[in-house]
Amino acid sequence: MSPLPEVVQLAKDAEVRIDETFNAPDVLPFAAKALEIIAAHPELRGDFELEFLNMPTYAPTEFIEVCMHALTWPAVKAEFERRYRDAVSRNDWRVEAVYRHYLDAFEPDWENASDFYAEYFRR
């Protein structure tokens, strides 16, 4: 399987796992593998960035948060900020919360990195 579809499949597999366990740290094996693939293919960064912008439709929030905290890609953050502002302007508080969580994950002191996902981020 080529790198991009492999990352997509990992995100979908993480969604299945979270739906079974409701345990946020269960995304770590999937996110860690996705991050390894992404690191091994810097030439595909633009493709990966575009796919992360599509992931809210099929990936768990936790998977996207972990990956964005590790990657801190400015282009993805800028688009999530735009979507956040749009949700606020439409009073769509369900969507606002999702994008607020994504944006929180970009912060260097993101609390979940030292709590739920410490196993990955403290190594």
Side-chain angles (χ1 to χ4, degrees), residues 1-12 37 44 48 51:
M1 186 180 296
S2 62
L4 188 60
E6 192 172 354
V7 169
V8 169
Q9 189 59 54
L10 286 164
K12 290 177 178 180
I37 293 166
L44 297 176
F48 287 127
E51 194 56 47

Side-chain angles (χ1 to χ4, degrees), residues 25 27-36 39 66-67 69-71 110 112-123:
V27 302
L28 286 176
F30 304 100
K33 180 65 178 166
L35 290 166
E36 287 176 20
V66 168
C67 291
H69 186 70
L71 297 167
W110 181 47
N112 290 355
S114 60
D115 187 8
F116 293 123
Y117 311 116
E119 174 188 332
Y120 180 80
F121 289 108
R122 286 194 179 162
R123 55 181 173 141

Side-chain angles (χ1 to χ4, degrees), residues 3 15 18 23 31 35-36 39 48 50 59 61-62 65 90 93-94 101 108 119-120:
E15 177 69 18
I18 287 289
N23 185 32
L35 290 166
E36 287 176 20
F48 287 127
L50 288 174
T61 299
E62 299 85 353
E65 290 173 349
R90 291 181 290 113
W93 304 115
R94 185 184 54 80
H101 285 281
E119 174 188 332
Y120 180 80

